[in-house]
Amino acid sequence: MMSERIVSETPKLTPVLEMRHISKRFDATQALDDVALELYPGEIHALLGENGAGKSTLIKIMTGIHRPDQGEMLLSGQPLAIGSPVEAQAYGIAAIYQEPMVFPDLNVAENIFITHRDTGAVVRWGQLYREAEAILAKLDVKLDVRAQARGLTLAAQQTVEIAKAISLQVRVLIMDEPTASLSAHEAAQLFKLMRTLRDQGVAILFISHRMEEVFALADRITVFRDGKLVSSKPAREVTPEGAIRDMVGRKVEEFFAKRTAERGEVLLAARGLGKSGAFANVSFEVHRGEVLGFAGLIGARRTDVGLALFGIEPADAGEIVFGGQAVQIRSPEQALRLGIAYVTEDRRQLGLSLPMSISANISLPTLRNYLTRLGLIKHSAEVAIAEQYRKRLAIRAPSVAIEAGKLSGGNQQKVMLSKWLNTKPKLLILDEPTRGIDVGAKAEVHQIVNELAAQGMGIILISSDLPEVLAMSDRILVMREGRQMGIFSRAEANQETVMTAAMGQAAGAAAR
């Protein structure tokens, strides 16, 4: 709400880029709702918010990937309309992401000038190398401009990206989680570059979930929540606790209705579980009838744990005990035989075959159950089981013969749930089960989760929606950058304690 906004006095300067009354909707999701943002030259401006707060959507509008439904952009006080990333670069607006987008088979200099259109038919290599070296010198960086990009570290690749932006006379540099894959030393080098650019008059929009970075770098901090602007203040007026409170200050909506089921014996125990390059020393138990929530921010590697338990990316350290027996899970087929099912976060690319019918999707993991001796599909049996799930999960479709791609997001999600419930799992791993669906469909999915837990199924709920995790979980495991920060009981967990642990501000409760 507008009354929630806290906006302090800003310097009496003209913003290099100003966003006014920006709104953007995607189907049932209001991604941005009347937000504003001002970026000043020579300032590092941090943008904070939970996953889904609208930060990425705003960046895509600033860089010409999306167009706003309402609102306007101003560049140095003049109205601005950007239709593509190329146009954005022409206006001096560039973005750098956590995964650098360099061309590995080109050298450093070629990557720096790759987007330039005025190089002509003949490349003057000597001049190209000299200008590349001059740009790097401006950043006080030493790189071999003739070196192939594929041999560079991530930090060096990001330096090349920054140099590319400088070559285009960048005025606004957007940095989205740029340190997510960097070591502490590499991050420190990047921070030095950012301060150099700020001192040269560049406006930097910095997005990070690492509070220590934000408060070490930012001159100004803005917080988004649920697609709305909550606060925008000079960094000196903000505390980490206050920023976290602004990020998670919403109430848990009424549609999050957890019914506590009777907790049974331990179904799965993970002891010192690890996967090289992803996560390490993760330990937890899941009981029958329990919902164990996995919370964390971007880069926490929660999904990697789910993929290890389902055998897609098997663990290479630790032990898994399932049903009282030590097991090794090296493939999804082994996981399914044990009674473990995994509902992916990407239903359109990985979870469903959209051109196929509802019934064909539901039967896919258990197709051998519907084959005749001649290897033909028993369509009547396939349709019968699909009809059962259509009624049980209230899938809104005129027929199970309809293509999955023609359903709404919420109904696609129910089809994907049906597909894995049809394997009769004992443990169900739900990865972002309500992402991209509307409130009504969320309520229905939550009801299904409640019913499954009441029937004695063990459930791991991985979700970036913190109110959802808090409301639906019996216990919550918090991760940060592949490390387990603690496990909270339902009584101990609240928005601030979980978010504080996820940001590394506290160690969290001891695992139990």
Side-chain angles (χ1 to χ4, degrees), residues 3-74:
S3 59
E4 267 189 311
R5 295 186 179 181
I6 308 169
V7 183
S8 297
E9 288 294 322
T10 55
K12 300 300 181 181
L13 299 172
T14 299
V16 62
L17 184 65
E18 184 176 3
M19 316 289 284
R20 294 180 178 175
H21 304 293
I22 301 294
S23 294
K24 182 68 179 179
R25 189 178 187 87
F26 298 99
D27 298 324
T29 302
Q30 186 70 46
L32 292 172
D33 186 3
D34 191 31
V35 301
L37 187 74
E38 296 178 345
L39 301 179
Y40 290 90
E43 180 181 74
I44 297 176
H45 192 138
L47 179 59
L48 302 181
E50 292 182 80
N51 301 338
K55 307 185 300 296
S56 294
T57 301
L58 187 72
I59 290 173
K60 289 176 180 177
I61 290 174
M62 295 170 69
T63 54
I65 296 173
H66 294 324
R67 294 192 180 188
D69 298 332
Q70 295 178 344
E72 63 177 343
M73 297 172 59
L74 301 176

Side-chain angles (χ1 to χ4, degrees), residues 116-124:
H116 286 239
R117 298 182 175 183
D118 55 355
T119 54
V122 178
V123 178
R124 297 179 176 85

